[in-house]
Amino acid sequence: MWGVAWAVTLAVGLAGGGYRLAEWGAKLLVSLVVLAFVASLIVVPVDVGNAAAGLVPTVPGGASGALLVAGVLGGAVHVTLVTMQTYTVDAHGWTWRDERIALLDVSTSMLAAFGIFSLAVYLVAASVLHTPDVNAASLTATTAAQALGPLAGPYAKWLFLLGLWGAAVSTLGGNTVAPPFLVADALDWGTDTADGRYRALLAATALVSALGAFVGGAFFPLLVLVLAFGLIGTPFAIAVVLYLLNDGGLVDATPHPAANAGGVALIAVTSVAAWSSISGNLAGRWTTPLGLFVLAFAAVLAVATLGLVVEHARA
């Protein structure tokens, strides 16, 4: 019931152009949760030695390990971030002369704000949730809320719940905007609610999100699986950006070879991680509707990515 109600609210809010208030509310709630996690670092028992050892990456074996890697990458290198960042730069009117400003913008948002938040979450979760008294396999949202216990005490569950609501508004709201925005831009429609076609497409996309409420399974495993599934589209999005950046007819200066090499490496890493996680977790279920959908989706994007490579080689 909550999922369906939220989908309708999202459709009305986005298509009606009344998202600004909810957006600021989400920012406030999420900011409070971020501050709570950072403040929790003062009181939770963080093992500095183990934290430092964690700088050396290790991947758990099996399909579950690949799924976790794909989930982390899916949340950090998401299609929405890659594509909408380019539109943000365009909306600002930035050019190569504004490269330093764009670099500062990305650095402060992704490295500073998002980086500090992620580090705080990982350290608090590792210190509180991964102990001999906690079974990680049966971790629930309620159990995870206890990570805020040292700071919020008996109000930890409510604070965590408010954080989930805020995350739903900010994350699902942003992800809902991205597909209609890309389609509208490709069809040369308006990309704001003044265009009725874009408004209808935006509302329809928001209503489709209600189907997620009917997907069975535990909360956290489903969250990781969805993030990993989103990673399937990331290689194609990066390939499109690289293709456009290396088109001399579109840009004044093409990227440095090192930047292109980094982009190609990112395509390779995300492709392998996405396929390893999805194939491992759908083993034996490829003939199911979900398996067929994932396989078809991945095949279409793979062909599209190869098409861009061939087109660039010809040029």
Side-chain angles (χ1 to χ4, degrees):
M1 292 175 61
W2 275 107
V4 175
W6 167 237
V8 174
T9 302
L10 186 66
V12 173
L14 291 178
Y19 187 64
R20 183 70 61 182
L21 179 61
E23 181 183 17
W24 279 103
K27 289 179 180 179
L28 176 61
L29 290 174
V30 174
S31 297
L32 290 175
V33 174
V34 172
L35 292 175
F37 271 106
V38 174
S40 293
L41 288 177
I42 302 175
V43 293
V44 299
V46 176
D47 190 321
V48 179
N50 282 334
L55 295 174
V56 180
T58 57
V59 179
S64 60
L67 180 64
L68 288 175
V69 171
V72 172
L73 286 175
V77 196
H78 197 273
V79 175
T80 302
L81 293 175
V82 175
T83 55
M84 299 310 288
Q85 173 65 16
T86 62
Y87 286 110
T88 301
V89 171
D90 181 66
H92 283 304
W94 289 342
T95 65
W96 282 109
R97 293 189 299 272
D98 304 294
E99 182 180 7
R100 291 185 177 180
I101 299 177
L103 182 61
L104 178 63
D105 175 63
V106 173
S107 300
T108 54
S109 60
M110 295 302 296
L111 291 180
F114 187 65
I116 293 175
F117 167 58
S118 298
L119 180 62
V121 170
Y122 288 143
L123 291 177
V124 171
S127 301
V128 179
L129 299 181
H130 293 273
T131 66
D133 301 326
V134 177
N135 182 10
S138 59
L139 189 64
T140 65
T142 302
T143 308
Q146 303 306 320
L148 300 176
L151 178 68
Y155 303 103
K157 294 180 181 179
W158 284 106
L159 183 59
F160 191 81
L161 177 60
L162 290 175
L164 284 180
W165 281 346
V169 174
S170 60
T171 303
L172 188 55
N175 289 335
T176 302
V177 171
F181 199 99
L182 295 173
V183 172
D185 183 44
L187 297 177
D188 202 23
W189 295 353
T191 51
D192 54 52
T193 53
D195 191 311
R197 297 166 298 183
Y198 173 74
R199 186 169 60 250
L201 185 61
L202 190 61
T205 305
L207 292 176
V208 168
S209 66
L211 297 176
F214 300 94
V215 178
F219 172 72
F220 279 109
L222 279 178
L223 178 61
V224 177
L225 183 61
V226 169
L227 289 173
F229 176 72
L231 190 64
I232 295 178
T234 300
F236 175 67
I238 299 173
V240 170
V241 173
L242 286 178
Y243 176 81
L244 295 176
L245 287 176
N246 285 276
D247 189 336
L250 295 176
V251 296
D252 297 330
T254 56
H256 189 277
N260 284 327
V264 172
L266 191 56
I267 290 176
V269 171
T270 53
S271 298
V272 172
W275 179 251
S276 299
S277 64
I278 297 299
S279 61
N281 286 273
L282 288 180
R285 294 188 290 168
W286 291 111
T287 56
T288 63
L290 177 61
L292 292 174
F293 174 76
V294 171
L295 189 61
F297 184 67
V300 169
L301 291 181
V303 171
T305 303
L306 290 176
L308 286 176
V309 174
V310 172
E311 183 68 21
H312 178 68
R314 288 179 177 178

